[in-house]
């Protein structure tokens, strides 16, 4: 995942999330692409489909979630002042804290722990 020209600032902002476990986890998941979205979960055989459950049209990748899902267009417009954008455009033009705030608002990356192993 390319963080654009502001990668040092992005890393500093990710560090600022250390006290916010949920926000920190969301930032790392979105940056690495290892998010609890169907595309990744399908590759790990944790779900039977890679399709987005919100729009039921496309594969639910980080790029789809951040910039392309029509079901999230209104929320995306509120946060990023655009309804559709590429993942690169979002990471280059918006602070990681804003991106994490959007992700938290959608509640799409929320999960329920199924075991007590402590792994997140």
């Amino acid at each position: 995942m390319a963080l654009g020209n502001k990668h040092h600032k992005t890393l500093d902002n990710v560090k600022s999330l250390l006290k916010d476990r949920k926000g920190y986890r969301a930032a790392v998941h979105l940056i690495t692409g290892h998010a609890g979205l169907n595309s990744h979960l399908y590759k790990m055989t944790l779900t039977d489909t890679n399709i987005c459950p919100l729009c039921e049209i496309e594969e639910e990748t980080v790029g789809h979630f951040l910039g392309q899902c029509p079901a999230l267009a209104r929320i995306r417009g509120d946060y990023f002042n655009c309804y559709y954008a590429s993942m690169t455009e979002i990471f280059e033009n918006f602070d990681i804290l804003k991106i994490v705030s959007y992700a938290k608002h959608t509640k799409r990356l929320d999960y329920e722990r199924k075991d007590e192993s402590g792994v997140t």
Side-chain angles (χ1 to χ4, degrees):
M1 156 92 257
L3 296 177
N5 297 327
K6 300 186 277 185
H7 67 278
H8 292 295
K9 184 177 180 189
T10 298
L11 294 176
D12 288 341
N13 286 334
V14 169
K15 289 177 188 175
S16 76
L17 289 169
L18 285 173
K19 293 179 183 172
D20 173 12
R21 183 179 174 98
K22 187 175 179 181
Y24 182 80
R25 182 175 41 245
V28 171
H29 288 187
L30 293 170
I31 290 168
T32 63
H34 293 214
L37 301 171
N38 278 351
S39 178
H40 182 65
L41 296 175
Y42 183 74
K43 289 174 187 171
M44 295 176 18
T45 65
L46 296 174
T47 186
D48 59 353
T49 182
N50 63 358
I51 300 299
C52 175
L54 301 176
C55 71
E56 299 180 340
I57 297 171
E58 294 182 23
E59 182 177 355
E60 188 185 30
T61 62
V62 171
H64 175 78
F65 168 71
L66 288 178
Q68 301 299 311
C69 182
L72 296 172
R74 188 177 70 41
I75 296 170
R76 194 168 32 254
D78 292 343
Y79 279 82
F80 305 129
N81 299 316
C82 64
Y83 296 106
Y84 295 94
S86 72
M87 183 170 61
T88 301
E89 290 171 325
I90 289 173
F91 274 101
E92 285 182 350
N93 295 309
F94 297 96
D95 187 282
I96 191 66
L97 300 176
K98 183 80 155 181
I99 297 167
V100 167
S101 182
Y102 162 81
K104 283 179 161 183
H105 182 92
T106 69
K107 298 182 179 166
R108 186 63 191 106
L109 298 181
D110 289 355
Y111 74 100
E112 293 181 29
R113 183 172 288 167
K114 294 180 178 158
D115 64 30
E116 297 302 319
S117 68
V119 177
T120 58

